[in-house]
Amino acid sequence: MGDDKRLADVVALAQGMASARTPRESWRAAALGACRALDGSFAALSVWERELGRLRVLVNVGERAAGELEFPEDEAYPVHQFAEITEFLHEQWAAGGEPNAWVETVEGTAAGRPGYCHQRVAALRRRGRGCCVVAPVVLHGRAWGELYVARPVGAAVFDRADADFATVLAAVAAAGLTQTELLEEARRLAFTDSLTGLANRRCVDMRLDEAIERYREEGVVVSLVVCDVNGLKRVNDTFGHAVGDRLLERFGSVLSLCGAMLPGALVARLGGDEFCLLAVGPPADEVVKVADELCRRAAELELGDGVACGVASTEEPIGPVRSARRLFRLADAAQYRAKAERSARPVVAGREGPDDPVVRLADTPADEAGPERRRFRGRG
């Protein structure tokens, strides 16, 4: 295989991983790029989960055998069945060597070390493959997993040059995976509240916009719960901000627990003592039931004075919801009323008939609302 083609294959693999937007896309790009570069019929990328003592398959591409899923949920193998990923690599590095790739065939080892591996040979035979090249993937100076490329029975067996090239491809894939990790961490920080670990306002805005679009196109129910933790200022003034932060963290845990009762719900801290829960799909009554449970649990916290909770749902008689901003204003107005009335239960926008005061307050222009109207959230 010419040097120009191999260089082009390396560039293609790197570009494919660079354009990946998610870890799954990155894994797939790594496996596909290696499969094409090595003229394989099948490729897989696996990660070594040290804490579980297993090699877990992340992605399978190419000509998959029966039972091989592209993104398997539970395809994993005990590491002791593939001891070379631990024993051989450790010995190799301890001696100052490099994590080179090797080749296995249905007859045994063909090129490079570590030698005959019964489990790999058995897997080749079982899946109708003639040979494979295995390249360790190294991240941050440690074995992270492996890149595996196979050819069918009757195809040319991988040689030493192929194994060396697979080592290069694994290094390129490792660089791409490192970049993906950094991007995921940046994404996590961008959409996560640092104190509670919940989603932040930026994440809520994005998800709510998407949810309202689904509501307008498909009629899916969208419900928003907005709540304020009562008594935070008193806790801060009396016990200090460290204790106030602990109250926010504990309430965040309660909100997360209650949110788990609604499949796919997003729980978030909007800032300060303000939190929210976004549910897409469940009926409004189920969301209100969870909000009621949230109020009950918050009242039992040793710090603070419970929570003021407002609910707005597209399933309630609140008029047309053409934007995320309006649903936010309705939930905010409901929460404002709950706080003003010191209600121990959630206030639901639209449940007091056609002239519901919460809906009226949310829809009244700020310059006409007078002193009862606070500044509601909403972008532009």
Side-chain angles (χ1 to χ4, degrees):
M1 189 178 297
D3 291 342
D4 288 346
K5 182 183 183 305
R6 288 198 158 169
L7 177 59
D9 287 334
V10 168
V11 171
L13 189 154
Q15 290 177 336
M17 297 194 71
S19 64
R21 294 172 297 177
T22 66
R24 277 193 169 194
E25 289 182 4
S26 182
W27 304 337
R28 189 172 186 275
L32 274 176
C35 191
R36 291 166 181 163
L38 289 162
D39 293 325
S41 60
F42 170 85
L45 180 69
S46 302
V47 62
W48 176 16
E49 297 181 327
R50 284 178 170 81
E51 71 280 9
L52 299 176
R54 68 182 190 175
L55 195 64
R56 181 168 64 88
V57 178
L58 299 174
V59 63
N60 293 309
V61 300
E63 298 174 8
R64 301 195 301 269
E68 286 181 326
L69 302 177
E70 182 175 24
F71 294 105
E73 294 295 329
D74 55 5
E75 185 181 351
Y77 306 93
V79 168
H80 70 261
Q81 294 182 0
F82 302 96
E84 72 276 4
I85 195 173
T86 53
E87 298 170 8
F88 165 67
L89 292 179
H90 177 75
E91 293 173 4
Q92 184 94 337
W93 289 335
E98 295 296 329
N100 296 324
W102 65 91
V103 177
E104 300 282 353
T105 76
V106 289
E107 305 301 329
T109 188
R113 294 179 61 199
Y116 182 86
C117 179
H118 172 73
Q119 295 295 336
R120 293 196 191 279
V121 171
L124 286 171
R125 291 171 179 166
R126 185 170 63 251
R127 291 165 178 163
R129 293 166 187 148
C131 63
C132 66
V133 59
V134 183
V137 177
V138 180
L139 263 67
H140 315 302
R142 302 178 69 187
W144 177 89
E146 68 173 40
L147 191 58
Y148 172 103
V149 180
R151 287 175 179 168
V153 173
V157 173
F158 292 111
D159 57 21
R160 178 67 266 174
D162 290 322
D164 290 342
F165 187 40
T167 300
V168 173
L169 295 171
V172 175
L177 291 166
T178 299
Q179 182 67 21
T180 299
E181 285 186 354
L182 292 173
L183 290 173
E184 279 299 295
E185 179 63 11
R187 187 176 292 113
R188 185 190 68 78
L189 292 173
F191 292 103
T192 303
D193 174 63
S194 59
L195 177 65
T196 63
L198 302 180
N200 62 14
R201 173 61 192 265
R202 183 182 294 108
C203 184
V204 174
D205 285 342
M206 183 180 71
R207 291 279 294 274
L208 185 55
D209 281 339
E210 294 171 352
I212 294 300
E213 190 65 24
R214 284 191 60 195
Y215 159 71
R216 294 174 63 183
E217 292 180 357
E218 307 168 24
V220 66
V221 177
V222 180
S223 302
L224 186 66
V225 181
V226 171
C227 41
D228 275 12
V229 176
N230 295 325
L232 178 63
K233 185 178 185 305
R234 176 185 59 78
V235 171
N236 283 335
D237 292 345
T238 305
F239 303 106
H241 286 272
V243 177
D245 285 350
R246 192 159 72 244
L247 168 60
L248 294 174
E249 289 178 292
R250 290 181 179 177
F251 178 74
S253 296
V254 170
L255 179 61
S256 181
L257 178 67
C258 291
M261 300 175 187
L262 297 167
L266 176 73
V267 293
R269 181 186 177 208
L270 299 172
D273 58 0
E274 300 174 323
F275 293 76
C276 79
L277 182 155
L278 172 63
V280 182
D285 284 344
E286 289 186 21
V287 178
V288 173
K289 182 178 179 181
V290 168
D292 199 40
E293 177 69 7
L294 174 63
C295 291
R296 185 187 69 77
R297 289 176 180 265
E300 295 175 354
L301 291 174
E302 60 181 281
L303 297 169
D305 301 311
V307 64
C309 195
V311 183
S313 174
T314 58
E315 198 174 46
E316 297 292 333
I318 55 176
V321 178
R322 299 187 177 92
S323 68
R325 184 185 180 191
R326 183 163 190 269
L327 197 67
F328 235 134
R329 288 165 64 89
L330 285 159
D332 213 29
Q335 183 274 132
Y336 175 72
R337 189 176 187 201
K339 200 173 192 72
E341 296 179 352
R342 299 182 181 276
S343 176
R345 304 191 66 182
V347 170
V348 184
R351 290 208 167 175
E352 292 189 30
D355 197 31
D356 186 290
V358 170
V359 177
R360 188 175 65 249
L361 179 61
D363 291 341
T364 300
D367 57 356
E368 299 177 15
E372 96 175 304
R373 169 69 178 273
R374 70 171 183 171
R375 181 175 60 85
F376 291 109
R377 298 178 192 84
R379 296 154 302 159

